[in-house]
Amino acid sequence: CPPQTQPVLVIAAHLHCSASPPNFVLLFADDLGFGDLGCYGHPSSITPNLNRLAAEGLRFTDFYCTSPVCSPSRASLLTGRYQTRSGVYPGVLYPGSRGGLPLNETTIAEVLKPLGYATAMIGKWHLGVGANGSYLPTKQGFDHYLGIPYSHDMGPCRNLTCFPPDIKCFGFCDVGSVLVPLMHNEDIKQQPVDFLDLESAYSDFAVDFITSSVKKKQPFFLYYPAHHTHYPQYAGPGAAGRSLRGPFGDALLELDNTIGNLLATLEEMGVINNTLVFFTADNGPELMRMSRGGNAGPLKCGKGTTYEGGMREPAIAYWPGTIKPGVTHELASTLDVLPTIASLAGAKLPPVMLDGVDMTELLVRRGKSKRETMIFYPTSPSEKYGLFALRMGKYKAHFYTHGAEHSATTPDRDCPATAVLTAHDPPLLFDLEADPSENYPLTLEGDPDLQAVLEQIQKAKLEFEASMVFGESQISKGTDPDLAPCCNPQCSPRPSCCRC
């Protein structure tokens, strides 16, 4: 290869010349808190495979999702764009939603397809089903799909078994919805889904995909957005009752077991050294579920809020021989995954405004992050209010704060929904290195250095909001019960008759 002058180009040139195109395995947990993994300090979580990834890979301490709830966070991960641009707001999509991730948005799978990559997804989509499955993964660049197209609590829980031999799922969930379906590509394979066999089905599907791709000498992209550890927790015989942490711990252990199976397959097929494995999660823990809801560690509040507990997530990048073991305190985000994968694969970026930056230099050379700021939008963003908070360097400014039902039950009065929307002028300013719990707002009076920091943050806020064009809200298009997936669409009475 000819010599390159720019360091990232040198890295990319080396990777492209020394081996076949790299493979990518993207692991995305659900409602997982910053403090939930053993490698992030939880005393009773059993996560040996994730602990191995952290010990042998790069563990992030300052990694963020873009929304404290599911659908918008997933849209940002797959497109490298804030959910406000794609229109996946406010809140989340439902089984009968008319909208979904717009088809003119470009996903990671669609970025890789022109280069001959095989693409597959297992697990939770939650970016829309639509009329005739118009928003399913197979319409967004994925060759193969096995999973539940939305959150698995979006259906009645009481009639399902979550733990063997016959322990009913905890809670009521969405009683009036269709039974939760398992889809293969665009067809319903099972309704209701059998939770006890679900993870083994996912594992087998993913193993087959990796094995088949390697045998065909085809580079691959596997996206695994897990249902774990979202409520209601479930686990099959391989994990049920085997953790020290009850149902949440069992669910987390089952996720970890699947990750172990994927790693073993990569090793057996001889591609572990040519595969980037990246793990993170969609949003913080659902504290309202108490011990069944996850743990944000030292961070404030959780799911549904723009405090750190709602949007700072565990993240690990693992690539033996390419990424050296260690810990990074650099600022990074799910937005950065698409540009990074595109850079490593030598793919073209989508011709749209991207909010992500390439992490290659950070991952491979342990260099500085290109990310200068992180924007915090609430679950229901609007042009009227704009962003709620902004992080620049170690400082975070809150322009608005709001509690959330998802973060109820904690002693902190700022977390539950009773903490109403509050504007802050001047904004609340925190030093997240000294105070990651956001307990002690800094005093600006008499401190010209902090006043200068706040001026920089205010300038960055204005520049960002000037660049933001809100896409048409997909969730505001409403719902139609007839769009909810039903394996026997002409049956009656719906939704109870949707069984197969």
Side-chain angles (χ1 to χ4, degrees):
C1 289
Q4 304 276 351
T5 54
Q6 303 214 10
V8 173
L9 294 179
V10 171
I11 295 166
H14 168 73
L15 293 171
H16 295 152
C17 293
S18 62
S20 57
N23 309 302
F24 302 101
V25 175
L26 180 56
L27 310 168
F28 206 47
D30 197 357
D31 287 9
L32 188 76
F34 187 80
D36 273 323
L37 302 183
C39 50
Y40 277 79
H42 198 284
S44 58
S45 288
I46 302 176
T47 53
N49 294 296
L50 284 166
N51 293 355
R52 172 194 165 188
L53 293 184
E56 299 176 11
L58 183 63
R59 182 171 67 85
F60 290 77
T61 62
D62 295 68
F63 190 93
Y64 291 90
C65 62
T66 67
S67 174
V69 291
C70 300
S71 295
S73 177
R74 290 155 200 276
S76 297
L77 172 74
L78 287 180
T79 65
R81 287 155 55 82
Y82 281 106
Q83 61 274 14
T84 41
R85 298 194 197 278
S86 62
V88 184
Y89 70 89
V92 301
L93 292 156
Y94 286 86
S97 288
R98 293 187 176 94
L101 180 66
L103 298 180
N104 61 359
E105 291 289 330
T106 305
T107 68
I108 297 170
E110 289 169 316
V111 165
L112 294 173
K113 287 286 288 180
L115 299 181
Y117 274 76
T119 57
M121 179 192 153
I122 53 171
K124 174 181 172 177
W125 175 237
H126 212 178
L127 288 172
V129 178
N132 301 313
S134 55
Y135 293 114
L136 288 172
T138 49
K139 304 295 176 64
Q140 307 271 17
F142 290 96
D143 300 323
H144 311 283
Y145 169 54
L146 181 70
I148 297 170
Y150 39 79
S151 229
H152 70 279
D153 67 329
M154 292 181 170
C157 291
R158 285 288 185 186
N159 65 328
L160 298 177
T161 299
C162 277
F163 295 90
D166 189 30
I167 299 174
K168 298 303 180 185
C169 295
F170 178 78
F172 287 96
C173 304
D174 293 343
V175 177
S177 297
V178 294
L179 298 168
V180 177
L182 177 65
M183 301 193 77
H184 179 216
N185 295 334
E186 296 164 26
D187 299 319
I188 296 175
K189 186 177 181 180
Q190 187 182 64
Q191 193 172 19
V193 64
D194 183 347
F195 283 175
L196 302 190
D197 292 334
L198 184 59
E199 205 65 24
S200 61
Y202 285 165
S203 180
D204 291 345
F205 192 83
V207 166
D208 289 345
F209 169 71
I210 293 171
T211 303
S212 172
S213 299
V214 174
K215 287 181 177 177
K216 293 176 184 175
K217 298 185 178 178
Q218 187 175 13
F220 60 85
F221 168 51
L222 174 65
Y223 174 45
Y224 172 36
H227 305 290
H228 294 316
T229 46
H230 196 290
Y231 166 98
Q233 284 80 29
Y234 65 89
R242 295 175 183 260
S243 82
L244 303 173
R245 201 180 160 186
F248 188 99
D250 292 354
L252 182 56
L253 174 59
E254 187 168 64
L255 167 62
D256 191 83
N257 287 344
T258 298
I259 292 171
N261 293 340
L262 300 184
L263 292 173
T265 304
L266 294 172
E267 289 174 335
E268 289 166 12
M269 299 307 297
V271 293
I272 190 84
N273 292 333
N274 194 38
T275 302
L276 170 62
V277 179
F278 198 95
F279 172 88
T280 187
D282 67 341
N283 52 249
E286 192 171 33
L287 302 176
M288 67 178 286
R289 308 293 181 185
M290 297 180 283
S291 64
R292 289 178 178 260
N295 193 295
L299 306 182
K300 186 180 182 76
C301 303
K303 183 175 180 177
T305 77
T306 51
Y307 292 109
E308 291 293 286
M311 294 174 63
R312 196 194 298 200
E313 290 297 323
I316 304 165
Y318 172 83
W319 190 348
T322 299
I323 294 177
K324 294 180 181 177
V327 176
T328 180
H329 304 294
E330 293 292 309
L331 192 59
S333 167
T334 51
L335 293 163
D336 306 333
V337 174
L338 181 148
T340 304
I341 287 178
S343 173
L344 293 170
K348 290 182 180 179
L349 290 173
V352 292
M353 168 75 83
L354 289 179
D355 297 298
V357 299
D358 181 5
M359 294 187 289
T360 303
E361 179 76 8
L362 168 60
L363 296 179
V364 179
R365 293 274 183 93
R366 201 63 55 80
K368 299 292 290 181
S369 172
K370 294 180 181 179
R371 174 162 295 283
E372 297 178 350
T373 60
M374 191 65 211
I375 304 302
F376 295 74
Y377 275 117
T379 58
S380 299
S382 68
E383 294 181 78
K384 176 183 177 181
Y385 292 104
L387 58 89
F388 267 36
L390 186 150
R391 176 173 176 176
M392 176 182 285
K394 67 178 183 177
Y395 294 103
K396 179 179 177 184
H398 287 270
F399 301 94
Y400 297 94
T401 54
H402 199 325
E405 183 181 4
H406 294 298
S407 284
T409 75
T410 71
D412 190 332
R413 290 178 294 179
D414 293 334
C415 300
T418 50
V420 297
L421 176 65
T422 305
H424 301 281
D425 186 15
L428 299 178
L429 188 66
F430 294 94
D431 176 345
L432 293 180
E433 289 181 358
D435 178 25
S437 303
E438 298 172 287
N439 283 329
Y440 311 108
L442 299 171
T443 302
L444 299 172
E445 189 176 345
D447 192 328
D449 291 339
L450 281 183
Q451 290 173 358
V453 165
L454 185 55
E455 286 175 10
Q456 282 185 294
I457 289 175
Q458 294 273 23
K459 181 181 177 183
K461 176 180 185 290
L462 290 173
E463 289 177 354
F464 176 82
E465 291 185 332
S467 79
M468 177 53 65
V469 178
F470 275 65
E472 179 188 9
S473 169
Q474 296 295 309
I475 292 160
S476 295
K477 291 180 177 180
T479 60
D480 177 353
D482 289 339
L483 294 179
C486 182
C487 59
N488 186 11
Q490 306 305 320
C491 73
S492 179
R494 291 185 65 164
S496 60
C497 67
C498 295
R499 291 177 174 271
C500 60

PDB file of all heavy atoms in Angstrom, residues 208-223:
ATOM      1  N   ASP A 208     -25.131 -19.729  12.931  1.00  0.00           N
ATOM      2  CA  ASP A 208     -25.283 -20.179  11.543  1.00  0.00           C
ATOM      3  C   ASP A 208     -24.908 -19.078  10.555  1.00  0.00           C
ATOM      4  O   ASP A 208     -24.272 -19.323   9.524  1.00  0.00           O
ATOM      5  CB  ASP A 208     -26.716 -20.642  11.280  1.00  0.00           C
ATOM      6  CG  ASP A 208     -27.052 -21.955  11.977  1.00  0.00           C
ATOM      7  OD1 ASP A 208     -26.113 -22.642  12.426  1.00  0.00           O
ATOM      8  OD2 ASP A 208     -28.256 -22.270  12.076  1.00  0.00           O
ATOM      9  N   PHE A 209     -25.302 -17.855  10.865  1.00  0.00           N
ATOM     10  CA  PHE A 209     -24.999 -16.725   9.978  1.00  0.00           C
ATOM     11  C   PHE A 209     -23.491 -16.487   9.884  1.00  0.00           C
ATOM     12  O   PHE A 209     -22.945 -16.313   8.785  1.00  0.00           O
ATOM     13  CB  PHE A 209     -25.703 -15.465  10.477  1.00  0.00           C
ATOM     14  CG  PHE A 209     -25.254 -14.209   9.794  1.00  0.00           C
ATOM     15  CD1 PHE A 209     -25.600 -13.954   8.471  1.00  0.00           C
ATOM     16  CD2 PHE A 209     -24.486 -13.281  10.477  1.00  0.00           C
ATOM     17  CE1 PHE A 209     -25.175 -12.789   7.833  1.00  0.00           C
ATOM     18  CE2 PHE A 209     -24.052 -12.119   9.847  1.00  0.00           C
ATOM     19  CZ  PHE A 209     -24.402 -11.874   8.523  1.00  0.00           C
ATOM     20  N   ILE A 210     -22.820 -16.481  11.038  1.00  0.00           N
ATOM     21  CA  ILE A 210     -21.362 -16.269  11.034  1.00  0.00           C
ATOM     22  C   ILE A 210     -20.675 -17.400  10.284  1.00  0.00           C
ATOM     23  O   ILE A 210     -19.809 -17.166   9.424  1.00  0.00           O
ATOM     24  CB  ILE A 210     -20.834 -16.178  12.484  1.00  0.00           C
ATOM     25  CG1 ILE A 210     -21.362 -14.904  13.160  1.00  0.00           C
ATOM     26  CG2 ILE A 210     -19.306 -16.202  12.499  1.00  0.00           C
ATOM     27  CD1 ILE A 210     -21.067 -14.841  14.652  1.00  0.00           C
ATOM     28  N   THR A 211     -21.057 -18.627  10.597  1.00  0.00           N
ATOM     29  CA  THR A 211     -20.440 -19.797   9.968  1.00  0.00           C
ATOM     30  C   THR A 211     -20.629 -19.777   8.457  1.00  0.00           C
ATOM     31  O   THR A 211     -19.682 -19.985   7.685  1.00  0.00           O
ATOM     32  CB  THR A 211     -21.045 -21.085  10.556  1.00  0.00           C
ATOM     33  OG1 THR A 211     -20.859 -21.089  11.975  1.00  0.00           O
ATOM     34  CG2 THR A 211     -20.376 -22.318   9.967  1.00  0.00           C
ATOM     35  N   SER A 212     -21.845 -19.510   8.019  1.00  0.00           N
ATOM     36  CA  SER A 212     -22.146 -19.473   6.593  1.00  0.00           C
ATOM     37  C   SER A 212     -21.366 -18.364   5.889  1.00  0.00           C
ATOM     38  O   SER A 212     -20.831 -18.568   4.794  1.00  0.00           O
ATOM     39  CB  SER A 212     -23.652 -19.270   6.396  1.00  0.00           C
ATOM     40  OG  SER A 212     -23.969 -19.058   5.042  1.00  0.00           O
ATOM     41  N   SER A 213     -21.292 -17.193   6.507  1.00  0.00           N
ATOM     42  CA  SER A 213     -20.586 -16.067   5.891  1.00  0.00           C
ATOM     43  C   SER A 213     -19.103 -16.378   5.723  1.00  0.00           C
ATOM     44  O   SER A 213     -18.512 -16.099   4.671  1.00  0.00           O
ATOM     45  CB  SER A 213     -20.765 -14.806   6.740  1.00  0.00           C
ATOM     46  OG  SER A 213     -22.129 -14.446   6.834  1.00  0.00           O
ATOM     47  N   VAL A 214     -18.506 -16.966   6.753  1.00  0.00           N
ATOM     48  CA  VAL A 214     -17.073 -17.286   6.679  1.00  0.00           C
ATOM     49  C   VAL A 214     -16.823 -18.340   5.595  1.00  0.00           C
ATOM     50  O   VAL A 214     -15.864 -18.229   4.818  1.00  0.00           O
ATOM     51  CB  VAL A 214     -16.559 -17.764   8.050  1.00  0.00           C
ATOM     52  CG1 VAL A 214     -15.108 -18.233   7.934  1.00  0.00           C
ATOM     53  CG2 VAL A 214     -16.667 -16.642   9.089  1.00  0.00           C
ATOM     54  N   LYS A 215     -17.677 -19.344   5.549  1.00  0.00           N
ATOM     55  CA  LYS A 215     -17.500 -20.389   4.527  1.00  0.00           C
ATOM     56  C   LYS A 215     -17.622 -19.823   3.113  1.00  0.00           C
ATOM     57  O   LYS A 215     -16.968 -20.291   2.176  1.00  0.00           O
ATOM     58  CB  LYS A 215     -18.519 -21.500   4.745  1.00  0.00           C
ATOM     59  CG  LYS A 215     -18.197 -22.383   5.954  1.00  0.00           C
ATOM     60  CD  LYS A 215     -19.226 -23.486   6.130  1.00  0.00           C
ATOM     61  CE  LYS A 215     -18.856 -24.397   7.296  1.00  0.00           C
ATOM     62  NZ  LYS A 215     -19.884 -25.446   7.529  1.00  0.00           N
ATOM     63  N   LYS A 216     -18.460 -18.793   2.959  1.00  0.00           N
ATOM     64  CA  LYS A 216     -18.610 -18.146   1.652  1.00  0.00           C
ATOM     65  C   LYS A 216     -17.522 -17.103   1.405  1.00  0.00           C
ATOM     66  O   LYS A 216     -17.512 -16.456   0.356  1.00  0.00           O
ATOM     67  CB  LYS A 216     -19.977 -17.458   1.573  1.00  0.00           C
ATOM     68  CG  LYS A 216     -21.160 -18.396   1.564  1.00  0.00           C
ATOM     69  CD  LYS A 216     -22.465 -17.586   1.583  1.00  0.00           C
ATOM     70  CE  LYS A 216     -23.684 -18.476   1.672  1.00  0.00           C
ATOM     71  NZ  LYS A 216     -24.932 -17.669   1.813  1.00  0.00           N
ATOM     72  N   LYS A 217     -16.642 -16.924   2.410  1.00  0.00           N
ATOM     73  CA  LYS A 217     -15.594 -15.901   2.349  1.00  0.00           C
ATOM     74  C   LYS A 217     -16.200 -14.514   2.115  1.00  0.00           C
ATOM     75  O   LYS A 217     -15.682 -13.697   1.350  1.00  0.00           O
ATOM     76  CB  LYS A 217     -14.562 -16.232   1.272  1.00  0.00           C
ATOM     77  CG  LYS A 217     -13.819 -17.539   1.533  1.00  0.00           C
ATOM     78  CD  LYS A 217     -12.730 -17.800   0.530  1.00  0.00           C
ATOM     79  CE  LYS A 217     -11.998 -19.098   0.876  1.00  0.00           C
ATOM     80  NZ  LYS A 217     -10.936 -19.427  -0.105  1.00  0.00           N
ATOM     81  N   GLN A 218     -17.307 -14.281   2.818  1.00  0.00           N
ATOM     82  CA  GLN A 218     -18.032 -13.022   2.688  1.00  0.00           C
ATOM     83  C   GLN A 218     -17.926 -12.249   3.998  1.00  0.00           C
ATOM     84  O   GLN A 218     -18.231 -12.794   5.068  1.00  0.00           O
ATOM     85  CB  GLN A 218     -19.497 -13.301   2.360  1.00  0.00           C
ATOM     86  CG  GLN A 218     -20.320 -12.067   2.047  1.00  0.00           C
ATOM     87  CD  GLN A 218     -21.748 -12.420   1.616  1.00  0.00           C
ATOM     88  OE1 GLN A 218     -22.190 -13.560   1.784  1.00  0.00           O
ATOM     89  NE2 GLN A 218     -22.464 -11.460   1.065  1.00  0.00           N
ATOM     90  N   PRO A 219     -17.477 -10.983   3.979  1.00  0.00           N
ATOM     91  CA  PRO A 219     -17.457 -10.201   5.222  1.00  0.00           C
ATOM     92  C   PRO A 219     -18.880 -10.031   5.743  1.00  0.00           C
ATOM     93  O   PRO A 219     -19.843 -10.038   4.961  1.00  0.00           O
ATOM     94  CB  PRO A 219     -16.852  -8.863   4.794  1.00  0.00           C
ATOM     95  CG  PRO A 219     -17.134  -8.765   3.327  1.00  0.00           C
ATOM     96  CD  PRO A 219     -17.084 -10.182   2.810  1.00  0.00           C
ATOM     97  N   PHE A 220     -19.027  -9.888   7.054  1.00  0.00           N
ATOM     98  CA  PHE A 220     -20.378  -9.852   7.614  1.00  0.00           C
ATOM     99  C   PHE A 220     -20.543  -8.779   8.676  1.00  0.00           C
ATOM    100  O   PHE A 220     -19.582  -8.336   9.312  1.00  0.00           O
ATOM    101  CB  PHE A 220     -20.768 -11.216   8.196  1.00  0.00           C
ATOM    102  CG  PHE A 220     -19.878 -11.714   9.300  1.00  0.00           C
ATOM    103  CD1 PHE A 220     -20.074 -11.335  10.619  1.00  0.00           C
ATOM    104  CD2 PHE A 220     -18.821 -12.595   9.026  1.00  0.00           C
ATOM    105  CE1 PHE A 220     -19.262 -11.792  11.641  1.00  0.00           C
ATOM    106  CE2 PHE A 220     -17.997 -13.063  10.043  1.00  0.00           C
ATOM    107  CZ  PHE A 220     -18.217 -12.664  11.349  1.00  0.00           C
ATOM    108  N   PHE A 221     -21.795  -8.370   8.830  1.00  0.00           N
ATOM    109  CA  PHE A 221     -22.225  -7.453   9.882  1.00  0.00           C
ATOM    110  C   PHE A 221     -23.387  -8.098  10.607  1.00  0.00           C
ATOM    111  O   PHE A 221     -24.436  -8.367  10.015  1.00  0.00           O
ATOM    112  CB  PHE A 221     -22.647  -6.106   9.286  1.00  0.00           C
ATOM    113  CG  PHE A 221     -23.370  -5.192  10.258  1.00  0.00           C
ATOM    114  CD1 PHE A 221     -22.853  -4.907  11.515  1.00  0.00           C
ATOM    115  CD2 PHE A 221     -24.591  -4.601   9.906  1.00  0.00           C
ATOM    116  CE1 PHE A 221     -23.511  -4.064  12.399  1.00  0.00           C
ATOM    117  CE2 PHE A 221     -25.263  -3.758  10.785  1.00  0.00           C
ATOM    118  CZ  PHE A 221     -24.718  -3.484  12.036  1.00  0.00           C
ATOM    119  N   LEU A 222     -23.196  -8.373  11.906  1.00  0.00           N
ATOM    120  CA  LEU A 222     -24.241  -8.943  12.753  1.00  0.00           C
ATOM    121  C   LEU A 222     -24.645  -7.915  13.793  1.00  0.00           C
ATOM    122  O   LEU A 222     -23.814  -7.433  14.559  1.00  0.00           O
ATOM    123  CB  LEU A 222     -23.746 -10.219  13.444  1.00  0.00           C
ATOM    124  CG  LEU A 222     -24.704 -10.823  14.477  1.00  0.00           C
ATOM    125  CD1 LEU A 222     -25.995 -11.305  13.825  1.00  0.00           C
ATOM    126  CD2 LEU A 222     -24.031 -11.966  15.231  1.00  0.00           C
ATOM    127  N   TYR A 223     -25.915  -7.579  13.814  1.00  0.00           N
ATOM    128  CA  TYR A 223     -26.471  -6.637  14.782  1.00  0.00           C
ATOM    129  C   TYR A 223     -27.358  -7.412  15.737  1.00  0.00           C
ATOM    130  O   TYR A 223     -28.320  -8.064  15.317  1.00  0.00           O
ATOM    131  CB  TYR A 223     -27.267  -5.565  14.024  1.00  0.00           C
ATOM    132  CG  TYR A 223     -28.044  -4.586  14.868  1.00  0.00           C
ATOM    133  CD1 TYR A 223     -27.497  -3.981  16.001  1.00  0.00           C
ATOM    134  CD2 TYR A 223     -29.347  -4.216  14.505  1.00  0.00           C
ATOM    135  CE1 TYR A 223     -28.217  -3.065  16.748  1.00  0.00           C
ATOM    136  CE2 TYR A 223     -30.081  -3.294  15.245  1.00  0.00           C
ATOM    137  CZ  TYR A 223     -29.514  -2.722  16.367  1.00  0.00           C
ATOM    138  OH  TYR A 223     -30.235  -1.820  17.111  1.00  0.00           O
TER     139      TYR A 223
END
